[in-house]
Amino acid sequence: MSVATLRMVLGDQLSPGLEILAGGDPAHDVILMAEVADETRYVPHHKRKLAFILAAMRAFAEELRGGGWRVDYVTLDDPRNTGTLGGELARAVERHRPQAIAATEAAEWRVLDMQRRWAADLGATVVLHPDTRFLCTPEDFATWAKGRRSLRMEYFYREMRRKTGLLMDLDQPVGGRWNLDAENRKPARPDLFMPQPPRVVPDATTRAVLDLVARHFPDNFGTLDDFWFPVTRADAERAVAHFLRHALPRFGDFQDAMLEGQRFLFHSVLSPLINVGLIDPLDLCRRVEAEYAAGRVPLNAAEGFIRQVIGWREYVRGVYWLHMPGYVERNALRAGRPLPWLYWSGETDMACMAACIGQTRAEAYAHHIQRLMVTGNFALLAGIEPTQVHEWYLAVYMDAFEWVEAPNTIGMSQFADGGLLGSKPYAASGAYINRMSDHCGGCRYDVKRRIGAGACPFNALYWDFLGRHAQRFARNPRMAQMVRALQRMAPDERQALHAQATAFLAHLDATGTDRGFAP
C-alpha cells in the first residue's frame, strides 16, 4: 500500500490533537515513532524518566493504532536501530517510500536544529508543523518582549489571562488581584492529611520497558523499584481527577512547604504528563477554574495553579526560544565549582539536601521549592558551574525537558543569565528552609548557628555569596537591603563567615560531600 505522508512523532508529542495528526489521513499515512540511543543518553537520565517516556510512547502508539493509524514503531533494542532520530527517519523513508514527510517542531533547540537538516540529509521536503499545545508562539513572545527594558513573568501572565479568559471578570481579574502568591507561603504541619497521587500497577507494556531500562541503563541515577506513574491517557485522566478533588483545595496554601517523609504534599505531580502531551494544559486550567467557580476550591489555589501553567510555563518557554542557542552556557556570576558528588550519591548530613536528593533518586520528582530553595540554592551559594547544575536537573527529573528546565535552572535558580528571566537570585540562608519545612529539627547542623562546629552550611555560604557579589547586588533593589546588612556587620564577624564558608567549600571540593567537615 502506498504511503501518502510519513508523519514522525517524538516522545514528548503524545497528543492526538497535534496539527500533524489532526490533518492526517489514517488510511494512507504512516506514523513513525522511534526510541533512539541519542535521546536516551545525551545526559545520564534517571532510570524512572527513561521508563516513563518509553512506556508512554508505546502506550500512545497503541492509542493511535486503536484510532485506525498505521504506526511504524522502532524499539530501542531493535538490532537495526541506528540510534538517531534522523537515521530512523531515513530508514523509514526507505521502507515506505512516502510522497511527503511531516513532523512537529521539536520543543528543544538541539532536536529542532536536527529536524531542520533532515530535508538536506534526505534529499526530500520535510514539512515542520508548529506545536499547537502552547498558548504563546516563540514569535508572539518575541513581539511581546521587544522594546522592554526587562522581562517579568507577572506582566506576561496577565496577557495570558486576558488571552484565555481564565479567572477573568470582563477585563479585570476575578477577586480584584492578578496574583495571590502572598497567600501561598504557609508552612505545612505533619498532622495534615496528605493525599497521595493515585498509583498505577504497571501493565505488560510498562513491565517490558522497565526490564529494558534495567538492562540497558544499569548504572544510571535512580531506581525503578515500585514504579507507579501513569503512562496512558486514561490513567493520566484519573490522576487529574484525583488532584482536582483531593489536593487542589489546599494546593495554594501549602505549595511552598516541605515536610520530612512527605514527597508530594498537595502538589499535582502532573507536570511530566503535561510535558509529554498526555494532558492538555489549557483544558486542565479550565477544569481548575471550574472547581473554583463551583465553590470547591479557594481562589488562591486556583490562581496559583493556573499561574504556574499559563504564566510561568509559557514564560520560561518564551525566554528559552528568545535566547537560544547559547542560553545554557550563560554564567553571569562566573561560578566555576564542579558539581559535588553528593548530588548523585545523596551522601550528606544536611537534612534538607538528603531529603530532596533521596526523594529525587526514588521518584525522579521534587516540587519547585525543593528544587529552587534547597538543591538550587545550595548550588548557587556554593558557586557551582551552572551548566553542570543544568545538566543534573535535566537528567534527574521526569518532567525535565530543556525548554522548561534550562530557564528554570540557568535563569531562576542560578541567576546565570544575569537577570533576564527574573529580577533577583533566589539565595537564602538556613532560616528560609527552617521556616518552610521541618527538616532542620532533626538535622546534624544547627540552623541558628552561622559559624563554628555544627553551624548550618547554608548560613555562612549565604553571607559569603553576598560578599562575593556585593558590588553587583548593591544595585539590585531586591537585594540591596541584605548587602547593606552584610556591610553593617563587624569586620571580624564578616571574616569569620568568610573563613567558615571557605573551609566548608574546600572540604566539599576535596571529598564531594559535607560529611566529616570540621571548621
Side-chain angles (χ1 to χ4, degrees):
M1 183 183 296
S2 65
V3 173
T5 302
L6 179 65
R7 300 176 180 273
M8 191 169 198
V9 173
L10 304 181
D12 60 348
Q13 297 174 350
L14 312 182
S15 305
L18 279 174
E19 184 176 287
I20 190 177
L21 298 176
D25 179 3
H28 298 98
D29 298 345
V30 168
I31 303 296
L32 172 65
M33 299 181 70
E35 305 167 358
V36 297
D38 268 11
E39 296 308 301
T40 61
R41 297 185 185 277
Y42 65 90
V43 292
H45 296 289
H46 195 299
K47 293 173 185 174
R48 234 172 173 80
K49 179 182 182 182
L50 292 169
F52 164 63
I53 294 173
L54 297 182
M57 287 176 66
R58 294 185 183 192
F60 186 58
E62 289 305 308
E63 180 183 341
L64 290 171
R65 290 182 181 118
W69 287 97
R70 286 186 290 162
V71 180
D72 183 351
Y73 194 98
V74 183
T75 61
L76 188 68
D77 52 1
D78 184 331
R80 296 160 297 181
N81 192 326
T82 61
T84 69
L85 293 171
E88 288 314 296
L89 179 59
R91 286 206 311 128
V93 168
E94 285 295 314
R95 286 194 297 274
H96 300 290
R97 299 292 180 178
Q99 300 170 28
I101 304 166
T104 298
E105 291 179 339
E108 298 186 353
W109 175 272
R110 174 184 60 83
V111 184
L112 181 61
D113 189 49
M114 286 190 285
Q115 287 180 320
R116 288 169 172 166
R117 297 195 301 268
W118 285 349
D121 293 344
L122 295 169
T125 300
V126 178
V127 177
L128 294 179
H129 293 260
D131 189 336
T132 53
R133 296 172 298 177
F134 293 92
L135 297 174
C136 184
T137 67
E139 295 76 18
D140 287 344
F141 187 88
T143 299
W144 173 82
K146 187 176 181 179
R148 294 177 183 267
R149 293 181 58 188
S150 60
L151 305 183
R152 293 297 172 258
M153 190 281 292
E154 179 64 26
Y155 302 114
F156 174 79
Y157 167 54
R158 295 179 187 184
E159 291 300 313
M160 294 300 100
R161 288 272 293 275
R162 294 185 181 102
K163 181 175 183 176
T164 61
L166 286 162
L167 295 178
M168 294 295 293
D169 183 3
L170 298 178
D171 62 345
Q172 294 300 311
V174 169
R177 288 186 291 163
W178 292 100
N179 187 323
L180 279 71
D181 193 45
E183 298 179 20
N184 294 350
R185 300 170 185 168
K186 299 179 179 67
R189 303 185 310 274
D191 61 344
L192 287 170
F193 171 73
M194 306 289 176
Q196 297 299 303
R199 304 175 75 84
V200 178
V201 176
D203 61 10
T205 298
T206 301
R207 291 196 301 272
V209 168
L210 292 171
D211 180 67
L212 179 145
V213 172
R215 285 186 286 108
H216 285 264
F217 306 94
D219 299 323
N220 280 41
F221 181 77
T223 176
L224 294 170
D225 296 345
D226 194 25
F227 185 90
W228 57 268
F229 207 73
V231 299
T232 67
R233 198 167 314 280
D235 285 333
E237 169 56 30
R238 281 187 277 273
V240 170
H242 182 276
F243 169 65
L244 294 176
R245 180 177 179 182
H246 297 289
L248 178 60
R250 283 186 150 172
F251 165 78
D253 287 348
F254 302 112
Q255 65 174 293
D256 287 2
M258 297 173 282
L259 283 177
E260 284 284 331
Q262 294 292 342
R263 295 173 175 174
F264 309 111
L265 285 89
F266 299 97
H267 289 271
S268 72
V269 202
L270 297 177
S271 54
L273 300 169
I274 296 171
N275 289 351
V276 300
L278 292 179
I279 296 172
D280 179 86
L282 182 57
D283 175 71
L284 176 60
C285 287
R286 296 208 185 282
R287 293 171 68 177
V288 168
E289 180 187 43
E291 292 297 301
Y292 165 71
R296 290 188 288 267
V297 304
L299 182 58
N300 70 311
E303 188 279 321
F305 186 86
I306 288 171
R307 176 165 23 92
Q308 287 191 0
V309 178
I310 70 167
W312 191 252
R313 183 174 185 268
E314 294 277 344
Y315 177 72
V316 298
R317 177 178 182 258
V319 169
Y320 175 79
W321 285 108
L322 189 64
H323 294 289
M324 284 295 284
Y327 185 79
V328 297
E329 284 84 37
R330 290 180 182 254
N331 190 356
L333 301 183
R334 298 183 179 180
R337 178 163 281 104
L339 186 77
W341 177 242
L342 68 85
Y343 274 80
W344 297 107
S345 69
E347 296 171 358
T348 174
D349 287 337
M350 293 176 282
C352 56
M353 290 282 285
C356 187
I357 295 170
Q359 170 181 325
T360 300
R361 175 184 287 276
E363 301 287 4
Y365 170 82
H367 70 68
H368 66 289
I369 292 298
Q370 293 172 302
R371 302 187 205 192
L372 178 65
M373 300 308 300
V374 180
T375 51
N377 183 27
F378 183 84
L380 174 67
L381 301 181
I384 298 172
E385 201 277 315
T387 300
Q388 294 186 41
V389 183
H390 148 62
E391 290 177 351
W392 183 80
Y393 280 104
L394 186 60
V396 303
Y397 289 115
M398 196 184 294
D399 60 1
F401 294 89
E402 191 180 76
W403 67 266
V404 64
E405 173 278 325
N408 273 297
T409 303
I410 297 295
M412 189 177 192
S413 171
Q414 301 305 295
F415 204 68
D417 67 2
L420 289 173
L421 184 83
S423 59
K424 59 162 279 188
Y426 280 82
S429 69
Y432 174 87
I433 296 169
N434 190 39
R435 183 167 65 252
M436 296 307 301
S437 80
D438 62 353
H439 293 314
C440 301
C443 186
R444 177 174 84 80
Y445 298 106
D446 185 347
V447 70
K448 296 184 179 180
R449 295 191 65 183
R450 294 178 174 179
I451 57 176
C456 174
F458 281 87
N459 293 337
L461 290 177
Y462 172 72
W463 292 107
D464 193 58
F465 170 79
L466 287 180
R468 293 198 306 273
H469 303 291
Q471 185 174 0
R472 171 190 286 268
F473 294 145
R475 302 189 300 269
N476 186 313
R478 299 185 66 189
M479 295 293 292
Q481 180 180 352
M482 298 312 298
V483 173
R484 290 193 295 270
L486 173 68
Q487 293 168 343
R488 287 194 297 268
M489 288 183 186
D492 58 345
E493 184 178 8
R494 291 181 61 180
Q495 179 55 39
L497 287 166
H498 175 67
Q500 178 96 4
T502 300
F504 178 86
L505 292 172
H507 179 85
L508 187 70
D509 290 342
T511 66
T513 179
D514 58 297
R515 286 184 174 170
F517 172 64

